[in-house]
Amino acid sequence: MKNTYRIIGDTVEILLRSKKYGNFLTNISLGDLEKVNQFKGSWYLWHREGDGYYVKGNINVNNKKTTIFLHRYIFDLPSVEIHIDHIDHNGLNNTRGNLREVNHFENSQNRTGAYSTSKSGQRGVAYSKLHDKYESYININYIKYSLGLFKTVEEASEMASIARAVFMTHATDDQNICIYYKEDKGSKLIFRHGVMGSGKTDNLLKLSHIYKRLKKNICLLTPHIDNRFGDGLIKSRSGWESKAEIIYPDTDVSSIITKSGSEVIFIDEVNFLTMNQIKQISYLLEFKKLKIYCYGLLKDFKNDFFASSLELLRCADQIQEIKSNCSYCENVASRILKIKNGTPVYKGDQVEIGAEDLYRSVCISHYHNPPSKDVG
């Protein structure tokens, strides 16, 4: 190639001179330098409004001048049916780690913002004049699914973003935003844990809502001991709620799941299940085509593991901590502090339902030394 370049570690910077736009730099991986250097002409900057900046060059094919993109040249892809996706949306970042082969549908997943014709200004959101609300939606395999109507564009946009993070494997921006919904490909048993107030139940209810809107047969389960909002009712602090099947200590969970005929299972407060029930779930997955989401606490206020949660750590395909800040500072909350009658409590029964006001989600420092305003 005729461009000036310099090697920086395992990447190469190539200078692109443009009278119209000025000088730009594009990056490639060092391993691709030999191939790119064989290019006989100059690489130049290409820009089109709404498409961003990319790198092009001219080659001769059968004595005919043909234009090719640098990212396609690196992958040696003549077929237009195969696309090369820039993961970070930067067409000047042509390093291997930022490029991936995709089909048309996968390529369309990884885009930013709404279409220019969108009246809401948000991707996956349309204003419904009839209902005076915002409709959230997602397109999967060219089928449009409505995710419901919401009062604000922000609520509708969040729902669409969550759905894309889960069901669009190449929606990079949404997966980076909705990190606590992103899944490992092929996971069948997912355990999401966090301290009190971290948003576990909110996660469960929003995700189960999306599955239901996508016409999936789902089943929600909750242990009988957690009846804070009524028997068989799962409710989050943000106001989301749903009825659920009740699990008792002697309940055969595998039997409930099998009878429901559901393909996606959501279990709240899984830390209150028995060890045998966790084993039933794990065993069932060996014979059924299911996806099971489990949500709950990992440890109690004594910083001891719940037995069922510990078992899930052993058998889950994906384990994810939903993080939140300490009640007293900006550090990550990693423990649950119990304060009763102005005194920190580190011993006693593991479970005390209906006493949420006694607990604080805190960092390790405030676990051992809570502020004086809460103790006396």
Side-chain angles (χ1 to χ4, degrees), residues 85-359:
D85 179 31
H86 289 79
I87 297 173
D88 67 357
H89 311 292
N90 179 6
L92 298 179
N93 181 1
N94 291 292
T95 55
R96 285 280 175 165
N98 191 49
L99 303 176
R100 58 186 172 189
E101 292 187 37
V102 294
N103 57 37
H104 173 73
F105 181 67
E106 291 170 336
N107 195 43
S108 67
Q109 293 179 8
N110 191 28
R111 61 179 178 84
T112 57
Y115 289 118
S116 58
T117 55
S118 171
K119 294 183 179 179
S120 71
Q122 299 293 323
R123 182 183 178 189
V125 178
Y127 176 68
S128 172
K129 188 176 182 180
L130 176 64
H131 301 93
D132 190 26
K133 290 184 178 181
Y134 293 92
E135 181 187 18
S136 178
Y137 66 89
I138 184 174
N139 289 298
I140 301 177
N141 294 328
Y142 307 104
I143 299 175
K144 180 180 178 180
Y145 295 92
S146 173
L147 302 175
L149 296 169
F150 300 87
K151 293 181 179 179
T152 68
V153 67
E154 290 80 13
E155 291 174 306
S157 180
E158 180 195 28
M159 190 58 58
S161 184
I162 292 172
R164 290 192 298 269
V166 177
F167 296 99
M168 291 186 172
T169 57
H170 292 71
T172 305
D173 284 355
D174 298 293
Q175 291 175 347
N176 289 337
I177 294 171
C178 306
I179 58 174
Y180 298 132
Y181 292 90
K182 182 180 178 181
E183 299 176 16
D184 294 335
K185 187 177 180 180
S187 294
K188 296 175 65 178
L189 178 57
I190 298 170
F191 177 34
R192 290 179 175 148
H193 66 86
V195 294
M196 296 176 65
S198 59
K200 300 183 299 298
T201 302
D202 202 57
N203 186 300
L204 180 156
L205 291 170
K206 288 178 179 177
L207 186 56
S208 62
H209 169 84
I210 291 171
Y211 267 103
K212 190 174 182 179
R213 300 293 298 198
L214 265 60
K215 313 299 183 183
K216 303 293 184 181
N217 191 352
I218 69 171
C219 177
L220 277 68
L221 304 174
T222 186
H224 84 289
I225 195 171
D226 187 12
N227 56 4
R228 291 168 292 171
F229 308 107
D231 292 335
L233 183 65
I234 301 175
K235 187 174 182 179
S236 71
R237 287 174 171 80
S238 65
W240 283 77
E241 63 178 56
S242 181
K243 293 293 292 182
E245 293 280 344
I246 301 175
I247 302 175
Y248 296 93
D250 59 350
T251 297
D252 184 340
V253 177
S254 61
S255 178
I256 289 182
I257 294 174
T258 301
K259 288 180 181 178
S260 72
S262 301
E263 53 188 318
V264 187
I265 314 298
F266 295 87
I267 306 177
D268 193 32
E269 302 293 355
V270 71
N271 46 285
F272 293 136
L273 270 59
T274 66
M275 284 281 288
N276 188 48
Q277 288 168 336
I278 299 298
K279 291 177 180 178
Q280 289 172 7
I281 293 169
S282 180
Y283 182 76
L284 187 64
L285 284 169
E286 297 181 22
F287 304 98
K288 297 283 186 179
K289 188 177 181 180
L290 296 170
K291 174 159 283 195
I292 301 179
Y293 294 90
C294 295
Y295 293 80
L297 298 171
L298 189 62
K299 298 179 181 180
D300 61 17
F301 70 94
K302 296 177 287 186
N303 204 37
D304 291 334
F305 282 99
F306 284 95
S308 55
S309 297
L310 187 59
E311 182 64 19
L312 273 171
L313 291 180
R314 296 190 182 100
C315 60
D317 296 314
Q318 179 180 346
I319 301 163
Q320 188 174 25
E321 180 183 5
I322 301 178
K323 296 181 180 180
S324 61
N325 289 340
C326 172
S327 298
Y328 303 115
C329 68
E330 296 300 314
N331 292 329
V332 174
S334 59
R335 301 192 180 189
I336 297 172
L337 173 67
K338 185 175 183 179
I339 299 178
K340 201 166 188 176
N341 299 322
T343 302
V345 179
Y346 301 102
K347 297 180 180 180
D349 294 336
Q350 190 175 54
V351 179
E352 187 173 354
I353 294 295
E356 284 70 31
D357 58 319
L358 301 180
Y359 298 97

